[in-house]
Amino acid sequence: MRKIAKFCICAAAALTVTANLSAIDVNKPELESAGSLDTIKFENYTGPHSVIESISTIKSIGSGLGNQVAADVNKSGTFSPGAKYTVIHAVDDTKGKLDADIIIVGENATVDHIDNLRRIIAAYLSSAYGYSESDASTIAAFVTVYNAVYRGKTDIFSSKYKDIVMANLTAEKCGLSTKWSDWAGKSQIVIPLGDLQGGLSTVDTSVISDKTVVQSMQEEDDKGVDERKNMVDIKEREAEAASEKAQESAKKAAEENKKLAEQKEVQKQAEQKAEEAKKEAQTAQKEAEADPENIEKQQIAQEKQEEAQEAQEEAQAEQEKTQEQQQVVEEARQEAEVNQAIADKKAAEAQEERSEIARDQQQIIQEQIAEASNQNTVIGLKITDSASQLSAMVKVDTVNGEVIRQSPVTVIRGRTILPVESAQIDNADVDNSLLYIAICGENTANGAIKLCLLDAVKMEIQKETNETVAQDSVLVNNGSDYYCVITENGGNYLAKFDKSLNLLLKSNVNLTSGTPVTVTPKGIVVTDVQGNTTLLKLEDLSSLTPQSYYSSTGFEK
């Protein structure tokens, strides 16, 4: 999957504490069995891409799968088997444990950023179960963290899910790795299903937002506050819907109970009638036995016996109706109790999380104020891959040497970043007074190496070149000009960019990709593809011939 190359960045301003907060489900047995909490931090590919797919194209992957499941949500099945993305809709009529959807990321899938994986899952939920885009996005975020938290823990999954689900999971693949490079061919993303016709409650939100999941989200820089607030909103609506169902069920129970009382009265009258008919039959039978020759008495006894039998059968029928009505009342009562229990549970989860989020928001505000007011900081580089000589930007406190923030972009090449001021970024929502230019990326399936601008606050890529940069290119600046080697049609050429990453010039000489670049007032010294030292003109990067060089310097051969 290809990542959208543009990232948004928020200024380090104080946050507003709102009343609409989020929720968690404290499942103590599951927490105890899960063991200690491992911090979940997704490692995305954060460099440039060779091809950038639109968000709508990314979402269409999930919606295509969801449309297949939506055709009959009550029917189990595997959809798009063997494709880049497959879904197993594992449902049956057994009780006690959960159904699930299992989204499988195939070996040929190229998704490399958690945002895009969440877009696929969200689009799937919207198409399959009718979730709004906003609710689906929230649930998708929790689903990914939930699957990362319980990655490979089949004992936890087996305690919650039906056999039909477990039959499709393997220990080495179930859940989601935190590393994007481990997603393709190694992921079985489990989505717990509650009520398949439950609207908001189709996905079991309590399971995907348990204590361990929320604790993991709290380890993020923003403590997952936005997603958690959205989740509490969902749970409050779930509680409201469940409460309404409970009231409807209670009303139905009251109505059916009234019918039960009426039915009991009918039964009582039928039983009285049967008892009276029985006595009359017994009396007539005694009279007939006392006068066996009296044909009329014999006939009356026979008739009374038949009437008594008929009355008894009617009484029995009314008793059965009473039992049936009693069952209707009991079912309505139980339904009311179940729905009220759900409403209470969701409301309690939301209430528990409200105060937790409020504390987290206050802590975020304090941290942001402290960071914004700290003038004793410098930005540098930290090695992230010594073998490939990749780095990430870090902000360091000059008083105590602590790393205050590390960039999510871990693929800066050449161990070089250069500061630039007031570069032009279209539709910028980031302070561009100070940015850093660097060569970023990797030559992966969908990755690319390009010249990029990173902001100085969150240190994310804000702009990148269209041109692809050579893997071992150096980055050199001369005043407001920046030079690196770009790759084009199988060749390598020196390129000159301005501070806003606009391509100004390109050499016509094929160079060694890792050539040193030495900028002098008289020209730029590079090494061509044959290994020869070549001097390029400053004004157009064309090759400076020996004759023209000597003429320009005033020297004679």
Side-chain angles (χ1 to χ4, degrees), residues 122 126 130-137 200 237:
S126 294
Y131 279 98
S132 69
E133 183 175 352
S134 175
D135 289 342
S137 178
L200 279 175
R237 283 182 281 137

Side-chain angles (χ1 to χ4, degrees), residues 73-74 82 128 137 148 224 241 251 269 357 381 413 415 452 479 517 556:
V73 296
N74 296 306
S137 178
K251 182 179 179 181
Q269 293 175 1
I357 287 183
L381 288 175
R413 311 189 72 86
R415 295 166 290 186
C452 301
V517 177
E556 296 295 331

